[in-house]
Amino acid sequence: MESTRVDRWLWAVRLTKTRPDAAAACRGGHVRVNGRPAKPATTVSPGDEVRARVGDTTRIVEVVRAIEKRVGANVASACFIDRTPAPPPEASVPVARRDRGAGRPTKRERRVLDKFRTGRI
């Protein structure tokens, strides 16, 4: 097998939980094959680059093997090369936040926040 449908491949290599989810992602414009928007029936073959927005992250993978059936996780991970860049490091300095709808801070809370912001903890 040299090529397969992109929605079927995304499901088979476990990038999406279900095939209808993969098809919906394609229809919603969240999947690109070689830089072009992909419909569910777009074919992928070894060497193609697939960009799929899964949840909050955009996964960039290169197709190594085109499969149609869902396989075990070890076999599925061998069917693509993950080229997704590492997420940016999160801020190490905690940010002072108040609960939404908590109202104005009291005088004591405002003093604590000012000390925190200026670094005079």
Side-chain angles (χ1 to χ4, degrees):
M1 177 181 327
E2 294 184 17
S3 65
T4 186
R5 292 172 55 112
V6 70
D7 63 336
R8 199 165 194 174
W9 186 82
L10 287 170
W11 167 73
V13 297
R14 299 169 177 257
L15 289 179
T16 59
K17 285 190 175 188
T18 64
R19 188 166 169 204
D21 285 348
C26 291
R27 283 192 301 274
H30 303 296
V31 178
R32 297 174 86 73
V33 176
N34 295 328
R36 295 184 177 157
K39 293 182 178 180
T42 302
T43 59
V44 293
S45 55
D48 288 346
E49 179 190 72
V50 177
R51 290 177 181 256
R53 192 163 72 205
V54 180
D56 296 337
T57 61
T58 300
R59 301 282 306 268
I60 303 169
V61 296
E62 180 183 333
V63 179
V64 173
R65 202 170 101 203
I67 58 173
E68 289 187 354
K69 301 270 183 177
R70 195 163 171 104
V71 293
N74 292 334
V75 178
S77 64
C79 293
F80 65 89
I81 300 171
D82 196 356
R83 303 211 187 276
T84 305
E90 294 190 21
S92 61
V93 178
V95 179
R97 294 202 176 147
R98 292 178 49 82
D99 292 332
R100 191 173 176 98
R104 287 180 58 170
T106 63
K107 191 172 190 176
R108 180 172 180 259
E109 290 172 338
R110 192 173 61 245
R111 286 181 180 154
V112 170
L113 286 171
D114 288 341
K115 281 184 184 178
F116 181 76
R117 287 183 184 139
T118 59
R120 296 182 296 154
I121 297 176

